[in-house]
Amino acid sequence: MSNKIEVNPETAGMGRRRFINTAALAGLTAGVAACTEKPANAPATAASGPAAAPAAAHTDAANATHLKPGELDTYYGLWSGGHNGDMRVLGLPSGREIHRIPCFVPDALVGWGITNESKKIMGTKPDGSLRYTVGDTHHTHASYKDGNYDGRYAWINDKINSRIARIRLDYFICDKITELPNVQGFHGIFPDKADPVDPAINYTTRVFCGAEFHIPLPNNGKDVDSPEKYRTMFTCVDAESMEVRWQVLIDGNCDLTATSYDGKLAATNQYNIEGGAHYEDMMSAERDACAFFHIARIEEAVKAGKFKTYGDSKVPVVDGTREANKDPKTALVAYVSTPKNPHGVNASPDGKYFICAGKLSPTCTVIELAKVLDWFDGKSEKLDNAIVAEVEVGLGPLHTAFDGRGNAYTTLFLDSQVVKWNVEAAIKFHAGDKNAKYVVDRADVHYQPGHINASQSETKAADGKYLAVGCKFSKDRFLPVGPLHPENEQLFDISGEKMVMLADHPVRGEPHDFIIFKRELVRPKQVYSHDDFPLAIKDPKESGVFRNGKKVTVKLTSQAPAFSLREFKLKKGDEVTLILTNLDKIEDLTHGIAIPKYNVQFVVNPLETASVNFVADKPGVYWIYCTNFCHALHLEMRTRMIVEG
Amino acid sequence: MSNKIEVNPETAGMGRRRFINTAALAGLTAGVAACTEKPANAPATAASGPAAAPAAAHTDAANATHLKPGELDTYYGLWSGGHNGDMRVLGLPSGREIHRIPCFVPDALVGWGITNESKKIMGTKPDGSLRYTVGDTHHTHASYKDGNYDGRYAWINDKINSRIARIRLDYFICDKITELPNVQGFHGIFPDKADPVDPAINYTTRVFCGAEFHIPLPNNGKDVDSPEKYRTMFTCVDAESMEVRWQVLIDGNCDLTATSYDGKLAATNQYNIEGGAHYEDMMSAERDACAFFHIARIEEAVKAGKFKTYGDSKVPVVDGTREANKDPKTALVAYVSTPKNPHGVNASPDGKYFICAGKLSPTCTVIELAKVLDWFDGKSEKLDNAIVAEVEVGLGPLHTAFDGRGNAYTTLFLDSQVVKWNVEAAIKFHAGDKNAKYVVDRADVHYQPGHINASQSETKAADGKYLAVGCKFSKDRFLPVGPLHPENEQLFDISGEKMVMLADHPVRGEPHDFIIFKRELVRPKQVYSHDDFPLAIKDPKESGVFRNGKKVTVKLTSQAPAFSLREFKLKKGDEVTLILTNLDKIEDLTHGIAIPKYNVQFVVNPLETASVNFVADKPGVYWIYCTNFCHALHLEMRTRMIVEG
């Protein structure tokens, strides 16, 4: 039953730089070999190695990233937290982490997963314990209006348990989590930028989610032995209600997701159209695909009842498989071919192109959206005519960012480089103009880059100022801290012709994707309102212990340096709900509350209310104390909980 | 039963800077008034406000903190993670967070609290679930040899559940956690620096722990209504075994802990010698204390059987209360008086003094260790003769650092300043030389500083290069991110006469204490050895599914880009132990493993082995995948777990 793979581990003792290339290439030989037929005079291979930034340029530019004490960053970055399961907020260009937003995984600081309010968002089992305590976030994107971020929401995926979380960008908190039915390995995520039909809706109302792993449908333990019958789905979630609107059954595994500026198309690049269960099978076909979803048609089909449901799920699922979508005029999905196992699909800020990076092929494929729509409209005979360029850029292309000046920046995982290339020049080259020099610049990065993004890159307002590169290995770039290395987010100045590296930023593994936008695009609120909380205790006089048999409610307020109750008594076995409102209404005056031995700790920000349930099962005196330094008498800020035996 | 405190919340709408002072002072009026009789010509009050660093000085110095890409920091910082419950590793002077070390609280990235190995260290309930998932770390200190850090261990406290964790500084991981008996609110922590008796033991063998909250003994629900009978304890933990060696029953609440360089004395500053339950009572006495523990005598008393035990605990407890320790010649504990509610006690690097900061008093109290020993030896009539200085430094003194050149740096919480003062000049001033100008410099910080530390400050090798200040409020110093603000760790260059502020570093709340040391003092290891793990699978050929009735062991290895098993089958209801060894032995080649819907995620670093238990209760196909980007074919690195229905 168990097939074993024998991999030669004889890489110990090799030089570091040599190892990186060897290890990253191991197992790839066959895959890459098929793709490395170089076009004659390809500029990519003609480029003579990495362009080192002049020392003087570094010094000037790099000083710009060192903010003087008190100076504010000019850009926000929203970073996925990988298998930390959180979202992070960075300031740029400093690279400083200003905030972490818990969503899929408990957070002991704020009490995420401890308070009743956060548990309700995270989801619980029938016994009240958390359904999941792990997560694996990959991609984060924010809501749009008029093609730019509007500061309402961001979304982030959990690949392990196929969940999508929404972040409110006023309070910078997670307010909704939805678990997608019928799928496994939900990976790519992207909000739409407009409605496909109603031009008045020029903002995000849907979020699209691509699932990676193909599974039996329903996944109930039957039909497990026929991977060729497994399928995956592309899912649409309502941006406001966070309900799942519909799903599309498809061939192949979804990787990333992208959406058009006109709202008409969403896409996912795909590997494993072979439906293979082993990795050799997953890369046996010469070409995979970028699947384009015709949103208006899909929603018409759902409306017309042309859908199925699977298992316990009520979500309508339309058929987007190749077999069912051969006729362009009725097709819901169009599969544009790409070289095998592409990685990443990104929408250019001019709204014209989606670019798939080749991963196993040293190329980027440029797909023109107008030509995909032509195919859907029956105006184009061959769908692959939408491919307007497929040019060599280097080894292991993964993701692409844009500067708004017509240039693309693609990470080269195997080369440990970023390549800057001009999209229109690439199109000319592909059309036959072999003098078109599309590669503009190359820069070494450290090491093995995955995602890349530029300031405002995936908006119409791409400004070509900063570029961040998520390097998967940091190796020797930071002080050693034992076996687990940080990742290395490298920052570049891309305002000139040459990329100039500014700084290395270590980050706890493993940020995948991130977005960078101007600070004026969000309008954060720093003090809550009582109205945000149904349980708010608006006056300290409402504090007290309210008993109904064994059910006890303790109402408590905080105002530096004291809790409203000095002490309170419980009886052993009481089922307690403790509600705490922070009545301090000054920005940054957060209190915390901990109950020793009762596994309770959470914070209440200005005017926030939170609650916890616990059973008073341990008799004794328990000094409840403030955990968030609030005042010169913070240490003395306590209340005494007495549990009578 | 419930006493309510009415605090005037009318601070909304006030200017920010004005608020800070008002809020921080609220409730302090009575306490401070008693202490603000200023000595004539006191330099502290004569100093004309904060000394602004010259702009040019800032520019030069600040550039030093911006490392060029690839440049390494020169110092490590170990930072407590507050109610995040972790330890953090920073590089300085850049201020970059390189690592977080989970200890008291689960960590989804590494699988801390998920793997069997980490659960064993954290502690579980009889049903196998974690005993605690919250923590509140305050103080972190490292092991010593010859008065300097020796790179073996660091320790950190959990105040909520009175636990102490040990961190191995080779692998930068937590390897032991001990819950202290008989105490609540364990707060201050410090390793000894030498044995009190055996001069050959010139390194750390004990760790001292001060507990803050006084409780009934035993704390079983009886005697709850007589706070005057509550007591707390000072605890000694063995540095190697992490067993609790002994405890000392004392009067008053322990705050911080300090140890002498000769190993003879440990100390804790104390508030609430009144034994009050409400905060007014806690500050009713004019003076509190710094309690000094005579380690050799305590250990002799334990050896001689002069101890009690409490409740279920077998730990010997000696009597260190005032009543029982009146005779200096037999005393185990000496209570040197300090102004009321002191905060922080720090040992000067010359080995001579312990300095208590006044908090409610605008003073620092300098206690000469030789004179405390004189009292124990019957050579000093009055214990308080050990106080060689008690000088005014500013409002709200909390903690003190040292530069090795005779200067102390004390945080002033209420003034939002750091004051640099000369210890010997302060002693002269206290002795009557009113011309002794002990205040050297003042610097504004942003805002409300708590802990402070300088590079190598609490070692004999204090080098006076960098100073970090943990500011409890950041207010407007970073881009707004909603109601929860980061704290602000400010970095200063203290190599000159004037302090020069270098940078603001945001940190997730709430680092309390931290240490900063030269990078050459640790010798990190970046690849594990199979010998570290009893369950190590040394060859992929050992992989497989091994069944014993319903008990199933799955042995799996990882080598990029594949797991050793391509798929494996389980039956519904199987009780599974999955063991994974990472056979990649190259630095930084970490793999992760996630099982969808089974709440499993952990990482295995090079040559690490970890295991998890789960019940295969959900039939279906589950694609186990690698969560830590490892290779160009990382996305394809999966194994298929089939649970037959």
Side-chain angles (χ1 to χ4, degrees):
Chain A
M1 190 194 77
S2 61
N3 294 311
K4 294 171 191 171
I5 300 169
E6 307 236 358
V7 180
N8 179 3
E10 297 306 319
T11 40
M14 298 170 58
R16 177 168 304 153
R17 190 87 198 175
R18 188 173 147 229
F19 155 69
I20 290 172
N21 288 328
T22 310
L25 280 163
L28 275 182
T29 325
V32 173
C35 312
T36 46
E37 294 164 39
K38 290 163 193 134
N41 308 314
T45 48
S48 57
H58 167 77
T59 309
D60 294 348
N63 286 345
T65 74
H66 178 80
L67 302 181
K68 291 195 190 106
E71 275 187 347
L72 295 184
D73 281 297
T74 46
Y75 290 83
Y76 282 95
L78 297 183
W79 246 251
S80 85
H83 24 326
N84 274 278
D86 56 4
M87 183 188 278
R88 302 169 192 169
V89 185
L90 270 63
L92 292 165
S94 76
R96 298 179 297 193
E97 182 187 285
I98 321 175
H99 193 36
R100 288 181 227 152
I101 305 171
C103 35
F104 298 117
V105 161
D107 180 277
L109 175 80
V110 300
W112 191 255
I114 298 283
T115 65
N116 296 331
E117 292 71 19
S118 61
K119 285 170 87 170
K120 192 174 170 197
I121 295 168
M122 291 182 76
T124 51
K125 297 180 194 167
D127 70 357
S129 66
L130 291 173
R131 196 165 157 81
Y132 303 115
T133 60
V134 299
D136 181 21
T137 66
H138 281 234
H139 304 107
T140 178
H141 293 286
S143 58
Y144 284 81
K145 187 172 185 183
D146 288 331
N148 198 355
Y149 300 125
D150 64 1
R152 283 184 297 144
Y153 298 124
W155 290 272
I156 192 163
N157 76 305
D158 165 28
K159 181 168 168 179
I160 300 180
N161 298 308
S162 294
R163 293 178 291 173
I164 174 172
R166 183 172 71 186
I167 308 297
R168 284 179 62 162
L169 289 179
D170 52 356
Y171 290 139
F172 283 81
I173 54 163
C174 171
D175 76 333
K176 292 253 189 191
I177 292 177
T178 298
E179 189 167 339
L180 308 184
N182 300 327
V183 299
Q184 205 170 97
F186 156 39
H187 187 208
I189 188 173
F190 220 104
D192 71 0
K193 297 168 184 133
D195 189 83
V197 177
D198 183 352
I201 303 174
N202 61 344
Y203 52 86
T204 295
T205 60
R206 302 167 184 80
V207 187
F208 300 111
C209 309
E212 207 182 316
F213 305 151
H214 53 321
I215 51 173
L217 286 167
N219 189 23
N220 55 9
K222 290 168 192 150
D223 291 326
V224 295
D225 286 320
S226 310
E228 68 283 357
K229 289 188 196 159
Y230 299 0
R231 287 289 177 281
T232 186
M233 294 190 190
F234 189 79
T235 302
C236 175
V237 172
D238 189 277
E240 282 302 328
S241 71
M242 290 289 285
E243 302 281 319
V244 178
R245 283 195 185 183
W246 44 259
Q247 295 185 299
V248 184
L249 188 79
I250 53 166
D251 300 310
N253 293 189
C254 299
D255 178 35
L256 273 280
T257 303
T259 60
S260 67
Y261 283 86
D262 61 10
K264 290 181 180 163
L265 297 173
T268 179
N269 66 302
Q270 296 193 294
Y271 70 101
N272 197 22
I273 59 163
E274 303 91 334
H278 300 162
Y279 73 93
E280 303 90 330
D281 304 331
M282 295 180 192
M283 51 186 195
S284 61
E286 273 312 297
R287 289 183 79 88
D288 276 296
C290 183
F292 286 82
F293 299 85
H294 192 298
I295 307 304
R297 284 191 194 169
I298 289 167
E299 299 197 344
E300 281 163 20
V302 170
K303 211 170 169 183
K306 295 177 187 165
F307 61 80
K308 288 175 70 175
T309 62
Y310 290 87
D312 297 335
S313 164
K314 300 274 184 293
V315 173
V317 180
V318 298
D319 189 347
T321 57
R322 284 165 188 263
E323 188 58 33
N325 288 267
K326 285 181 174 165
D327 180 0
K329 293 202 177 149
T330 58
L332 309 179
V333 182
Y335 293 83
V336 176
S337 88
T338 68
K340 68 167 72 174
N341 297 48
H343 196 90
V345 54
N346 298 93
S348 65
D350 58 11
K352 288 190 200 169
Y353 309 112
F354 280 11
I355 295 176
C356 291
K359 191 166 79 171
L360 299 194
S361 160
T363 56
C364 280
T365 301
V366 182
I367 300 168
E368 188 173 338
L369 299 187
K371 294 189 173 173
V372 176
L373 287 172
D374 282 350
W375 181 83
F376 275 117
D377 292 344
K379 295 179 196 162
S380 167
E381 210 163 295
K382 200 161 163 276
L383 179 54
D384 277 2
N385 286 343
I387 298 170
V388 293
E390 194 162 288
V391 294
E392 190 166 323
V393 292
L395 288 181
L398 292 191
H399 299 283
T400 300
F402 304 94
D403 64 8
R405 296 186 296 272
N407 299 304
Y409 299 75
T410 300
T411 46
L412 303 174
F413 183 80
L414 297 178
D415 281 339
S416 275
Q417 285 190 342
V418 172
V419 55
K420 173 181 178 181
W421 55 283
N422 185 277
V423 177
E424 292 302 333
I427 292 169
K428 280 183 196 156
F429 181 87
H430 182 79
D433 177 0
K434 297 303 173 196
N435 292 319
K437 300 274 186 239
Y438 57 88
V439 170
V440 181
D441 190 23
R442 290 175 185 278
D444 273 350
V445 297
H446 310 85
Y447 302 91
Q448 257 65 41
H451 274 280
I452 187 169
N453 225 330
S455 44
Q456 297 278 161
S457 170
E458 293 181 285
T459 72
K460 284 188 176 172
D463 67 0
K465 194 154 182 188
Y466 294 112
L467 180 80
V469 182
C471 296
K472 299 297 184 179
F473 294 82
S474 64
K475 295 277 170 190
D476 49 5
R477 302 291 283 190
F478 304 108
L479 287 183
V481 286
L484 183 63
H485 291 233
E487 317 287 294
N488 185 9
E489 308 289 285
Q490 293 193 302
L491 190 71
F492 286 83
D493 178 344
I494 54 166
S495 58
E497 181 82 355
K498 293 273 181 195
M499 295 175 271
V500 179
M501 188 185 288
L502 301 177
D504 284 6
H505 297 303
V507 285
R508 185 159 177 81
E510 181 184 355
H512 289 256
D513 206 1
F514 40 86
I515 59 174
I516 301 165
F517 53 87
K518 289 186 173 172
R519 65 185 186 194
E520 51 268 31
L521 291 177
V522 288
R523 299 163 298 281
K525 297 195 273 188
Q526 298 188 278
V527 175
Y528 281 104
S529 157
H530 281 315
D531 300 337
D532 294 322
F533 306 98
L535 298 180
I537 303 160
K538 296 178 185 173
D539 190 309
K541 294 196 183 93
E542 297 168 24
S543 304
V545 176
F546 305 91
R547 177 177 292 277
N548 181 3
K550 287 180 87 65
K551 305 262 186 204
V552 177
T553 302
V554 179
K555 293 188 179 183
L556 200 61
T557 64
S558 58
Q559 275 168 297
F563 291 111
S564 55
L565 303 178
R566 304 234 179 171
E567 55 253 329
F568 61 91
K569 279 190 180 170
L570 301 171
K571 291 184 174 63
K572 187 181 172 184
D574 281 350
E575 294 162 18
V576 184
T577 298
L578 184 148
I579 306 167
L580 172 62
T581 295
N582 182 6
L583 291 178
D584 280 314
K585 53 182 93 164
I586 302 297
E587 182 187 328
D588 203 5
L589 220 172
T590 295
H591 293 286
I593 182 168
I595 311 180
K597 313 290 182 186
Y598 274 92
N599 206 38
V600 168
Q601 201 295 134
F602 59 92
V603 301
V604 275
N605 293 295
L607 293 188
E608 186 176 10
T609 296
S611 66
V612 285
N613 292 345
F614 63 90
V615 176
D617 54 1
K618 289 173 281 290
V621 169
Y622 300 91
W623 289 96
I624 294 179
Y625 70 98
C626 176
T627 46
N628 209 82
F629 212 106
C630 58
H631 188 282
L633 284 174
H634 162 69
L635 214 58
E636 289 83 352
M637 182 167 171
R638 312 188 207 157
T639 185
R640 189 165 47 126
M641 178 172 95
I642 298 168
V643 181
E644 294 176 316
Chain B
M1 189 196 73
S2 62
N3 292 312
K4 295 172 192 173
I5 300 169
E6 307 237 357
V7 180
N8 179 1
E10 296 306 318
T11 41
M14 296 170 59
R16 177 167 305 155
R17 192 85 198 177
R18 190 175 146 227
F19 154 70
I20 289 172
N21 289 329
T22 312
L25 280 163
L28 276 183
T29 325
V32 173
C35 313
T36 47
E37 291 163 41
K38 292 168 190 125
N41 307 317
T45 49
S48 56
H58 167 76
T59 307
D60 294 347
N63 287 346
T65 75
H66 178 79
L67 301 182
K68 290 195 189 105
E71 275 187 346
L72 296 183
D73 281 296
T74 46
Y75 290 82
Y76 283 93
L78 297 184
W79 247 251
S80 86
H83 24 328
N84 274 278
D86 56 5
M87 182 188 279
R88 301 169 192 169
V89 185
L90 270 63
L92 292 165
S94 76
R96 299 180 296 193
E97 183 187 286
I98 321 175
H99 193 36
R100 290 181 224 148
I101 304 171
C103 35
F104 298 118
V105 161
D107 179 276
L109 175 78
V110 299
W112 191 254
I114 297 283
T115 64
N116 296 330
E117 291 71 21
S118 61
K119 285 171 86 169
K120 192 175 171 197
I121 294 169
M122 292 182 75
T124 52
K125 296 181 195 167
D127 71 356
S129 67
L130 291 173
R131 196 165 156 82
Y132 303 116
T133 60
V134 299
D136 181 22
T137 66
H138 281 234
H139 304 107
T140 178
H141 292 287
S143 57
Y144 285 81
K145 187 173 185 182
D146 288 330
N148 198 356
Y149 301 124
D150 64 0
R152 281 184 298 144
Y153 298 125
W155 290 271
I156 192 162
N157 76 306
D158 165 28
K159 182 168 168 177
I160 299 180
N161 298 309
S162 293
R163 292 178 291 173
I164 174 173
R166 183 173 70 186
I167 309 296
R168 285 177 61 162
L169 289 180
D170 52 355
Y171 290 139
F172 282 80
I173 54 164
C174 171
D175 75 333
K176 293 252 190 192
I177 292 178
T178 299
E179 189 166 341
L180 307 184
N182 301 326
V183 299
Q184 205 169 99
F186 156 39
H187 187 210
I189 187 174
F190 220 103
D192 71 359
K193 298 168 184 133
D195 189 82
V197 177
D198 183 352
I201 303 174
N202 61 344
Y203 52 86
T204 294
T205 60
R206 302 166 183 81
V207 187
F208 300 111
C209 309
E212 207 181 316
F213 304 152
H214 52 322
I215 50 173
L217 288 167
N219 189 23
N220 56 9
K222 291 168 190 151
D223 291 327
V224 295
D225 287 319
S226 310
E228 69 283 357
K229 291 188 195 159
Y230 299 0
R231 286 290 178 278
T232 187
M233 294 191 191
F234 188 79
T235 302
C236 175
V237 173
D238 188 276
E240 282 301 327
S241 72
M242 290 289 285
E243 302 281 319
V244 178
R245 282 195 186 184
W246 44 259
Q247 297 185 298
V248 184
L249 189 80
I250 54 167
D251 300 311
N253 294 188
C254 300
D255 180 33
L256 273 279
T257 304
T259 60
S260 66
Y261 282 86
D262 61 10
K264 290 180 181 165
L265 295 174
T268 179
N269 65 303
Q270 295 193 295
Y271 70 101
N272 197 23
I273 60 162
E274 303 92 334
H278 300 162
Y279 74 93
E280 304 90 329
D281 303 331
M282 295 181 193
M283 52 186 196
S284 62
E286 273 313 297
R287 290 185 78 87
D288 277 295
C290 184
F292 286 82
F293 300 85
H294 193 298
I295 306 304
R297 283 191 193 168
I298 289 168
E299 301 197 343
E300 281 163 21
V302 170
K303 213 169 166 182
K306 296 177 186 165
F307 61 79
K308 290 175 67 174
T309 62
Y310 290 89
D312 298 335
S313 164
K314 301 272 183 295
V315 173
V317 180
V318 298
D319 189 348
T321 58
R322 285 165 187 265
E323 189 59 33
N325 288 269
K326 285 181 174 164
D327 179 359
K329 291 199 179 152
T330 58
L332 309 178
V333 182
Y335 293 83
V336 176
S337 89
T338 68
K340 68 166 72 173
N341 297 48
H343 197 89
V345 54
N346 297 92
S348 65
D350 58 11
K352 288 190 197 167
Y353 308 111
F354 280 10
I355 294 176
C356 291
K359 189 167 83 172
L360 300 193
S361 160
T363 56
C364 280
T365 301
V366 182
I367 300 168
E368 188 174 338
L369 300 187
K371 294 189 173 174
V372 176
L373 287 172
D374 281 351
W375 181 83
F376 276 117
D377 293 344
K379 296 179 197 161
S380 167
E381 210 164 294
K382 200 162 163 275
L383 180 55
D384 277 1
N385 286 345
I387 299 170
V388 293
E390 192 161 291
V391 294
E392 189 166 323
V393 291
L395 288 181
L398 292 191
H399 299 281
T400 299
F402 304 94
D403 64 7
R405 296 186 295 271
N407 300 304
Y409 300 76
T410 300
T411 47
L412 302 174
F413 183 81
L414 297 177
D415 281 338
S416 276
Q417 285 189 341
V418 171
V419 55
K420 173 182 179 181
W421 55 283
N422 186 278
V423 178
E424 293 300 334
I427 292 170
K428 281 183 197 155
F429 181 87
H430 183 78
D433 177 1
K434 296 304 173 197
N435 293 319
K437 300 274 188 239
Y438 57 89
V439 170
V440 181
D441 190 24
R442 290 177 184 279
D444 275 350
V445 297
H446 311 87
Y447 304 90
Q448 256 65 43
H451 274 280
I452 187 170
N453 225 330
S455 44
Q456 297 278 155
S457 171
E458 292 181 284
T459 71
K460 284 188 175 171
D463 66 0
K465 193 152 182 189
Y466 294 111
L467 180 81
V469 183
C471 295
K472 299 296 186 182
F473 294 82
S474 64
K475 294 279 173 192
D476 51 4
R477 301 291 283 190
F478 305 108
L479 287 182
V481 286
L484 183 62
H485 292 234
E487 318 288 292
N488 186 8
E489 309 289 285
Q490 293 192 302
L491 189 72
F492 286 84
D493 179 343
I494 54 166
S495 57
E497 181 83 356
K498 294 272 181 196
M499 294 174 273
V500 180
M501 187 184 290
L502 301 178
D504 285 6
H505 297 301
V507 284
R508 185 157 178 82
E510 181 183 358
H512 289 255
D513 205 1
F514 40 86
I515 60 173
I516 301 165
F517 54 86
K518 290 187 175 170
R519 66 184 184 193
E520 51 268 31
L521 292 176
V522 287
R523 298 163 299 281
K525 296 194 272 188
Q526 298 188 279
V527 175
Y528 282 104
S529 157
H530 281 313
D531 301 337
D532 294 322
F533 306 99
L535 298 179
I537 304 161
K538 295 178 186 174
D539 189 309
K541 294 194 183 93
E542 296 169 25
S543 304
V545 176
F546 304 91
R547 177 175 292 277
N548 181 4
K550 286 177 88 67
K551 306 264 186 201
V552 177
T553 302
V554 179
K555 293 189 179 182
L556 199 61
T557 63
S558 59
Q559 277 169 296
F563 291 111
S564 55
L565 302 178
R566 303 227 176 178
E567 54 253 329
F568 61 90
K569 280 191 180 171
L570 301 171
K571 292 184 173 62
K572 187 180 173 186
D574 281 350
E575 295 163 18
V576 184
T577 299
L578 184 148
I579 306 168
L580 173 62
T581 296
N582 182 7
L583 291 179
D584 279 314
K585 53 182 93 163
I586 302 297
E587 182 187 328
D588 204 4
L589 220 172
T590 294
H591 293 285
I593 182 167
I595 311 180
K597 313 292 182 184
Y598 274 91
N599 206 40
V600 168
Q601 201 294 134
F602 60 92
V603 300
V604 276
N605 293 295
L607 291 189
E608 186 176 9
T609 297
S611 66
V612 286
N613 292 345
F614 62 90
V615 176
D617 55 1
K618 290 174 280 291
V621 169
Y622 300 91
W623 290 95
I624 293 178
Y625 70 98
C626 176
T627 46
N628 209 82
F629 211 107
C630 58
H631 188 282
L633 285 174
H634 162 67
L635 213 59
E636 288 82 352
M637 184 170 170
R638 314 189 205 155
T639 186
R640 188 165 47 125
M641 179 173 93
I642 298 167
V643 181
E644 294 176 315

